[in-house]
Amino acid sequence: MLPPDAPARGGITERLVREIREEAERARTTPAPELTPALWRRFADTGDRLAYERAYFDRRRRLAALALDAHLNACSDTRLDVHLNDGSDTSLDARPGTCPDPALRDLLWSVCEERTWVLPAHEPHDRPLDTFVDLFAAETAHTLAEIVALLAGHLDPEVADRVRAEVDRRVLRLLRPGEPPMWWESAPHNWAAVCAAATGLAALALDSSRPPAPHLPELLPRLRRALAAFLSGSGADGACLEGPDYWSYGFGYFVYFAEALREHTGEDLLDDPHVREMAAYPARIDLGDGTRPAFADSHARGVYPTGLLSRLAARLGVNVPEPAVPSFHDDPCYRWAHLTRTLWWSRETPRTAPEPCSYLPDAAIVVARAAGTAFAAKGGHNDEPHNHLDLGHFVLHAHGRTILDDLGAPEYTRDYFREGRYQVPQASAEWHSVPLIDGAAQLPGREHRAEVLEAEVLEAEVLEYAATGGAVTFVLDLTAAYATSHRFTRTFHWRPGTLELVDEFGPADVLVEELFVSRVRPVAGPGVITWGPVELRVPPGWRARTEERQVRGHDGTAETVHRVRLAARVPPGAYRFLFTVRT
């Protein structure tokens, strides 16, 4: 299933190859962590996910490194062209029937011995654990199946047979016709894509490693329905409401399976206008400088898989963000699908200059870029996947960093996916750049939504004053986001380097507390607030206060974040806040 046009060693993947070698040596010389019952129970006892997951992903990290190191050793000095579907010789420097690396052999067996491939946080409550496929069980099945296929004829037969049996027992058989459905098969988000695509990739790999073994045909109807559910979660504009990192995850797996299916059957799932719009999403929300708005559970500086971007640019002709030089450590979960397709597909990708402005109407997201600065804002509703209470929230990027910021994804805990979600600062309204109205914050639920009243995007060439960049006027009615009797509309007027924010309240006097969130410490002076290169003129009569808080990021690391609170009791009317970027 691997493409015949795999890249030469060196170039864009040189660092990745070097790090694979380093990680493989680490895996050979240090013991792998055990997945103990005590680690498993930690989630149920305390809500802590990271203790078990750190050990789990370290094992997957070692497995990927050892297998890819063996794969690299199998290749010629100049090419990485190996085919899973055509039975071609991998040229592995080992005798048939012997494992090229005892550490790999032992780890393959050890992963097969794991009590479950499901994470504690995903343990089902309505069915036995061994009858459920979660994201990571499906990913593990794909990893193991493809390793066996990739190193076909060179693994100990007992190990290869054990892997095939476990992949079939733990994943493939559970999705055959007549088996009870999984909840994710109708989910309009990343679960459906990842679970279905990884399962399909595992089936294709097993079919190629021991033909004839037609696993895929009997699974394909259910997998197709799940993938259709995933695609339905994106509007016609192609936006990923879960955020850019989940685009890489869900859409990435969709593309990996689509390309494998095309090679296997000739069917092309990417030949679809909606899929093309989804492929264009990263470029449309790109802020430049390797950043994007961290809306929902994302990171402002997350890395898109380079191989995925290369393939989408080549196959669909879409513009993509500037790809990073790939690293083995780009994905903290060390997913085999990302690592291998980055190794096999990465190319130097021709790029055109991004459009100055983007508007994604279904997601109600607007983005504007100019030389050295950018701006993005969002509407939507407060029941989006990986939702934050952030209607009317915005980010302002300047001089290489996002100044007015989105805190992105927090550490995932048990409570974050239950009733405690909106007490976590990153998801709460109080830690987004949106106001409190008479002390009330935004509320969760689909009924709490923004209505787009106007979205005007002007390109630079029609603007006499702007040589680089575009202009945006974006108007939201945010009344329904709050459980108050006050009407509230928010207007963004963006010109390169200048953001005018106009908030209008009525029909009676109201206490307003405008909140502005940043990772940059603000400095308050007479009538002005500054965050590095960004300055806010404080309107007369508004009291300014600066605050800070420690939060835990997605990897569990503590960081200090900052908030400016401007408060005033105001009569009905419009109130103007002007942000400027100093050159």
Side-chain angles (χ1 to χ4, degrees), residues 43 73 93 121 132 161 163 246 264 278 284 344 365 544 551 553:
F43 176 74
N73 290 335
D93 185 18
F132 181 60
D161 288 344
V163 166
Y246 281 96
H264 187 76
M278 296 173 74
R284 289 172 177 164
W344 297 328
I365 291 174
V551 301

Side-chain angles (χ1 to χ4, degrees), residues 172-501:
L172 301 188
R173 74 169 180 84
L174 300 178
L175 288 160
R176 291 194 177 108
E179 293 294 328
M182 307 282 173
W183 68 262
W184 50 258
E185 291 182 67
S186 58
H189 54 64
N190 73 87
W191 271 74
V194 175
C195 293
T199 298
L201 287 163
L204 277 169
L206 289 196
D207 287 352
S208 69
S209 68
R210 181 169 283 183
H215 292 87
L216 185 67
E218 61 180 350
L219 301 177
L220 202 50
R222 287 178 71 166
L223 302 185
R224 284 186 187 283
R225 289 192 293 271
L227 294 174
F230 164 70
L231 295 176
S232 74
S234 172
D237 61 12
C240 178
L241 298 181
E242 299 175 278
D245 291 327
Y246 281 96
W247 177 90
S248 296
Y249 192 24
F251 189 68
Y253 267 86
F254 173 82
V255 172
Y256 301 147
F257 177 66
E259 289 294 79
L261 187 68
R262 180 171 69 96
E263 183 174 328
H264 187 76
T265 68
E267 179 183 2
D268 190 358
L269 297 181
L270 301 189
D271 186 15
D272 181 323
H274 184 212
V275 169
R276 191 181 187 283
E277 294 300 310
M278 296 173 74
Y281 165 76
R284 289 172 177 164
I285 62 163
D286 187 44
L287 299 178
D289 301 315
T291 64
R292 64 275 181 100
F295 296 152
D297 281 347
S298 281
H299 301 83
R301 286 195 174 272
V303 177
Y304 297 108
T306 306
L308 176 62
L309 296 184
S310 296
R311 181 54 59 100
L312 292 174
R315 285 273 286 113
L316 301 182
V318 296
N319 198 19
V320 296
E322 183 71 36
V325 175
S327 167
F328 185 79
H329 307 289
D330 286 338
D331 173 17
C333 299
Y334 298 94
R335 294 179 176 90
W336 175 261
H338 288 331
L339 285 166
T340 51
R341 276 60 185 177
T342 291
L343 182 64
W344 297 328
W345 292 355
S346 291
R347 297 287 190 278
E348 297 292 344
T349 303
R351 298 179 68 250
T352 58
E355 296 294 327
C357 302
S358 304
Y359 176 50
L360 300 165
D362 297 286
I365 291 174
V366 65
V367 181
R369 293 161 284 267
T373 186
F375 151 77
K378 74 177 295 292
H381 61 80
N382 274 336
D383 191 31
E384 295 169 352
H386 288 268
N387 187 66
H388 293 191
L389 300 179
D390 62 353
L391 308 183
H393 174 60
F394 67 99
V395 299
L396 183 57
H397 184 81
H399 294 214
R401 85 183 281 190
T402 304
I403 307 296
L404 276 297
D405 210 349
D406 190 300
L407 302 185
E411 178 185 351
Y412 283 178
T413 63
R414 178 184 57 204
D415 288 344
Y416 185 64
F417 290 94
R418 297 184 183 179
E419 63 279 355
R421 181 179 191 88
Y422 298 114
Q423 278 68 61
V424 176
Q426 287 94 330
S428 70
E430 291 88 342
W431 282 91
H432 286 86
S433 295
V434 296
L436 305 179
I437 301 175
D438 273 343
Q442 292 186 20
L443 295 174
R446 183 172 288 265
E447 70 276 18
H448 298 291
R449 59 189 308 113
E451 180 185 355
V452 178
L453 302 180
E454 182 180 353
E456 183 181 27
V457 174
L458 299 176
E459 304 299 342
E461 55 266 24
V462 303
L463 302 172
E464 294 181 359
Y465 60 85
T468 57
V472 167
T473 295
F474 189 44
V475 186
L476 300 172
D477 185 337
L478 293 162
T479 305
Y482 299 79
T484 74
S485 58
H486 297 281
R487 186 171 186 269
F488 168 39
T489 62
R490 167 164 279 192
T491 300
F492 300 96
H493 293 295
W494 163 263
R495 302 295 182 269
T498 302
L499 173 64
E500 182 184 48
L501 177 70

Side-chain angles (χ1 to χ4, degrees), residues 56-71:
Y56 184 100
F57 294 129
D58 189 20
R59 291 169 66 84
R60 300 308 184 264
R61 167 181 177 164
R62 293 163 180 268
L63 181 61
L66 289 168
L68 285 173
D69 189 49
H71 167 49

Side-chain angles (χ1 to χ4, degrees), residues 10 39 115 144 228 230 271 422 445 547 557:
L39 285 178
R115 170 177 172 254
L144 292 174
F230 164 70
D271 186 15
Y422 298 114
E547 303 161 329
T557 302

